[in-house]
Amino acid sequence: MDERIIGIDFGGQYNQLVARRVRECNVYCEIYSYRTPLSQIRDMHPNGIILTGGPNSVYEEGAALCEAELFELGVPVLGLCYGAQLVMQVLGGNVSRGTKREYGRTPLSLTEAGAKSPLLAGVPENSICWMSHFDYIREAAPGFLTTASTEGAPVAAAEDPGRQLYALQFHPEVVHTEFGQQMLANFVRNICGCSASWNMEDFAQRKIQEIREQVGTGRVLLALSGGVDSSVCAVLLSKAIGKQLTCVFVDHGLLRKNEGDEVEAVFGDAGKFELNFIRVNAAERYYAKLSSVTDPEQKRKIIGEEFIRVFEEEAKKIGAVDFLAQGTIYPDVVESGLGGESAVIKSHHNVGGLPEHVDFKEIIEPLRELFKDEVRKVGLSLGLPEHLVFRQPFPGPGLGIRIIGEVTAEKVRIVQDADAIYREEIAAAGLDASIGQYFAALSNMRSVGVMGDERTYDYAVVLRAVNTVDFMTAEAAEIPYDVLTRIMTRIIGEVRGVNRVLYDITSKPPGTIEME
Ligand code: XMP
């Protein structure tokens, strides 16, 4: 990879977003912790460096800092929020605690110098930026010109074009900063001189080449779940090494209706990709293990462990392989604390770690540089069907955690059928693309109803639909009443064992998106 911007992470909440926004300018960007030695950063030959936000105060003892030499590498540097204050603090400006916090959408005005700033080219004299700070730059460092200000931040933007140093007190990476994307594009393209050549078609072709070189004549084993990441991983490997790849798809009997067959149709012998596909139908095994288990955490644990066991058994049949492939993507890398600083520990893991009894020499993770939307683009460019590429998130434990209480084959059938109707009707109403995630779950409540002239005592299906930006918080979606009514009528009419349909209006927090 020739061109790259390096983001230095000081622990702020938007740091991954910075990398995404830069990549949207078709320039490759990756994040490193502020603890990364300067020599390592220099050896990566970045075209530009972005210092991101962070929770500290730059003048506090123990604050995350950077060395002054960072500003002498001859590489353009852009500091954002905390990063901007850091530039000023290290180079002799003054950063102090403000009297009040400036937060949210804030009017931004360019100064006279701002009108000529290469960073602010194309930004009108007055616009809106997104602020989130308590400390403020009281005085810019010597040599800096103030290029923009807000009511609470006299130095909202400053630069020393001679040294190619830039600072923005606000967050250009947040969509609420009207011209934020323009500023980032100005920085990476015009100031850093990057050529906007990062695109997913090239990435895929380059990766295929790299995989061929890395794998040689070796064999690769991949656990394919049918989710976006492992599917794209499979296709990329298949294009690179064909039948040297074996994919094991464990159908745990907790997938959505027809999903197992859909995955097989794409990757199996009848599909268009060259690879060895092994489907293991393990539903009975899972149901037996889950019999009379009601605790959600225990269910998750059993499902995860059983997956490892089934996978290991298959791997044993295949024998020693050279590589174990994983569909790890960039947010997983950053969130597990390997890349950046913001260690949001992922609470959901599909499998309980690496299988211990699989005989392999190395791990191969072809997607570890990519964000989810980039993974999708790679998938599409390599010919994966849209229904697979744009799949909603589906938890590893599957319907096991969408059935409250004990899991049985009968309950799986009920929730599969209800969910299929729900999805059909949402799509028919044209709401598919406008709802973040939606699915049917099965409560463990049974209640009395009347159907025909008969008393019933059946289950209640729960419909869930949420809108969310990052899946950390979510709001219940407002589905039109007539659509809900149609879904209710069909589910009760067509799915045996159900006599009530409930719509869950709980937001997250306090609820979670899944029921267990
Ligand atoms: P919650 O229920 O925590 O879900 O609000 C947030 C998002 O994560 C998905 N989810 C999981 N994904 N394995 C996964 O791969 C899991 O165990 C798991 N549990 C929840 C959920 O569907 C939602 O998108």
Side-chain angles (χ1 to χ4, degrees), residues 4-52:
R4 76 171 78 205
I5 300 290
I6 286 184
I8 301 200
D9 185 350
F10 293 93
Q13 57 177 327
Y14 301 127
N15 298 345
Q16 282 196 42
L17 204 50
V18 173
R20 286 192 54 176
R21 293 281 177 258
V22 170
R23 292 193 197 182
E24 280 168 19
C25 303
N26 299 101
V27 174
Y28 183 68
C29 178
E30 56 185 13
I31 305 267
Y32 289 88
S33 162
Y34 73 93
R35 297 172 213 265
T36 310
L38 187 60
S39 57
Q40 194 181 327
I41 304 279
R42 189 185 325 123
D43 291 347
M44 289 187 270
H45 301 292
N47 297 68
I49 294 173
I50 300 182
L51 310 179
T52 69

Side-chain angles (χ1 to χ4, degrees), residues 300 347-350 393-397 401-402 437 439 471 508 511-516:
R300 278 177 184 274
S347 54
H348 304 304
H349 289 285
N350 290 345
F394 186 66
I401 56 166
R402 290 183 181 172
Q437 186 178 359
F439 55 85
F471 296 91
K508 172 183 179 175
T512 51
I513 296 174
E514 301 290 347
M515 306 269 157
E516 288 200 332

